[in-house]
Amino acid sequence: MSARKLEAAVEKQRDSVVEAMFAVTEALDALETKEAGSAQVTAASEAIQRTRERLRTGKELEARSEDYAASARSTERKLEQAEVRLKQGRRVIDFVSGPLGESQEAPELEKKARREKDIAARLSLYTEVRDRYRRCGSEAEKLLSEAPELARSPLPVKGRPMVLKAVAAGCKKKAGLTQRAVVKLEKAQVKWEKAQAKREAAREKKEKLKAAREKAKEAAREKKEKLKAAREKAKEAAREKALARKRK
């Protein structure tokens, strides 16, 4: 390949990679908007994959052009950084749509719990509320440990920025407050179950006494019937005996 052809091929390949890398940057920026979701994660992942594929198509040129080889290595480093941003963006979106989203639904569940009259059902609802807040707090702390820079970068949640550190603290505090209600209801349920056990024991005792009385009545009836049958049998035997004497 002549120098001119090599230069043209390198320029064409470089433009192709730059175009693909620009799409990666745009896709990663979209991950940080308030509308970001699974579609943006997929788009960013696909953009990174397309760029890697374009680098592979120009692999032979790296051996022929030191300048392009340096450019390709620079692009590889940028793609590694892009993978880090993609991973972080995916974790943020998973957190916002998962534990954080669940915690934001918790107040409605709590209202429903307060209206619930059945102790077991109320306890179940409050436990769910507490667990949602706990997941939110623990996942927020985990996310912060994995990406400390998020402590300085507000998350776009439902159109408004939320600081992840404050989210973690808020969810943990709400989990603690809800736990008090859970403990109180657990004690109330134990008390109710004990009272219910006593009521059940009293009912069973009453049923047993009733069954015993019925059995005694039945035994008395059977005894009475047997006595009656015996008297009838004795009368019949006496009549037969009297008739026999008359015949003689």
Side-chain angles (χ1 to χ4, degrees):
M1 183 183 291
S2 66
R4 182 176 295 180
K5 286 184 178 181
L6 176 61
E7 183 179 350
V10 166
E11 192 64 27
K12 183 179 179 181
Q13 173 65 12
R14 197 193 310 273
D15 287 346
S16 175
V17 172
V18 168
E19 180 186 16
M21 197 64 212
F22 180 76
V24 169
T25 301
E26 283 192 324
L28 290 173
D29 288 343
L31 279 178
E32 298 170 1
T33 63
K34 65 182 181 181
E35 295 85 7
S38 59
Q40 284 69 34
V41 170
T42 300
S45 179
E46 290 177 348
I48 291 172
Q49 183 62 28
R50 281 196 300 272
T51 305
R52 290 197 186 282
E53 288 173 357
R54 292 192 183 184
L55 281 175
R56 280 196 291 271
T57 62
K59 202 67 178 175
E60 291 182 2
L61 293 175
E62 293 181 33
R64 299 182 182 184
S65 170
E66 290 184 6
D67 181 59
Y68 175 71
S71 175
R73 287 193 295 272
S74 174
T75 301
E76 281 288 357
R77 288 192 293 273
K78 289 178 182 178
L79 286 176
E80 289 172 2
Q81 295 168 356
E83 290 280 7
V84 173
R85 283 184 67 187
L86 172 60
K87 182 180 178 181
Q88 178 178 304
R90 181 185 286 114
R91 286 284 287 114
V92 170
I93 289 169
D94 288 345
F95 172 71
V96 171
S97 62
L100 180 58
E102 290 178 357
S103 73
Q104 291 178 327
E105 295 169 358
E108 284 301 316
L109 278 177
E110 194 168 357
K111 287 180 183 178
K112 183 179 178 182
R114 284 195 293 268
R115 294 192 299 267
E116 180 59 59
K117 294 181 179 179
D118 181 76
I119 291 179
R122 195 186 315 158
L123 174 59
S124 177
L125 285 168
Y126 268 110
T127 301
E128 175 64 20
V129 170
R130 179 204 62 192
D131 290 348
R132 288 189 180 210
Y133 283 134
R134 280 182 175 177
R135 282 194 295 271
C136 171
S138 62
E139 286 299 314
E141 287 187 337
K142 184 178 178 182
L143 191 54
L144 273 172
S145 68
E146 293 175 357
E149 64 273 17
L150 289 176
R152 303 183 298 274
S153 306
L155 303 179
V157 180
K158 293 189 175 181
R160 63 189 181 90
M162 296 185 72
V163 180
L164 189 57
K165 193 171 182 178
V167 169
C171 282
K172 289 184 74 175
K173 181 179 179 181
K174 289 174 182 176
L177 291 172
T178 311
Q179 173 64 7
R180 295 179 188 175
V182 170
V183 170
K184 186 177 179 180
L185 282 167
E186 284 175 340
K187 289 179 179 178
Q189 187 177 36
V190 169
K191 186 177 179 180
W192 180 86
E193 286 175 349
K194 286 181 178 178
Q196 182 67 11
K198 286 182 179 179
R199 288 192 291 268
E200 183 63 23
R203 187 191 65 79
E204 289 180 358
K205 184 178 180 181
K206 186 178 179 180
E207 290 294 326
K208 286 180 180 178
L209 286 171
K210 183 180 177 181
R213 284 196 295 268
E214 289 295 329
K215 188 175 181 180
K217 286 180 182 179
E218 182 64 26
R221 281 195 297 269
E222 288 180 358
K223 185 177 180 181
K224 187 178 179 181
E225 289 295 327
K226 285 180 180 180
L227 287 171
K228 183 180 178 182
R231 285 195 294 268
E232 290 295 330
K233 188 175 181 180
K235 286 179 182 179
E236 183 64 28
R239 281 196 297 270
E240 289 180 358
K241 191 175 181 181
L243 286 172
R245 281 198 300 268
K246 284 181 181 179
R247 291 195 191 98
K248 290 180 179 179

